Amino acid sequence: SIHIKETNIEKIISELFMFFELEAKRKGIKLLIEKKEVNTVRTFYSDNYKLNSVLTNLIKNGDTLLAIS
């Protein structure tokens, strides 16, 4: 089921960064977060669990592509 609620995207990205940072360092991969200032304040709504899953898969897929290149 889907549970849409106000989401702190910066917090989710920061938590994923901390989770994957050590593994990336071990593999010789430098993880970076590039934060850009946005002038408009918008509320972001999402299913936190599903968003976290999608971002985790993107990071893992990127790591796999770097490992085979």
Side-chain angles (χ1 to χ4, degrees), residues 15-59:
E15 289 170 352
L16 287 171
F17 179 85
M18 290 187 299
F19 180 79
F20 284 105
E21 186 178 30
L22 183 61
E23 181 180 347
K25 281 183 182 178
R26 224 177 340 108
K27 293 180 178 184
I29 300 169
K30 185 175 183 179
L31 281 182
L32 298 171
I33 296 177
E34 185 176 324
K35 185 177 177 182
K36 299 195 179 205
E37 293 297 321
V38 179
N39 292 332
T40 56
V41 178
R42 287 189 166 174
T43 304
F44 183 79
Y45 292 92
S46 176
D47 181 308
N48 286 351
Y49 177 78
K50 292 188 184 302
L51 177 61
N52 195 305
S53 295
V54 168
L55 293 174
T56 296
N57 286 332
L58 287 171
I59 294 167

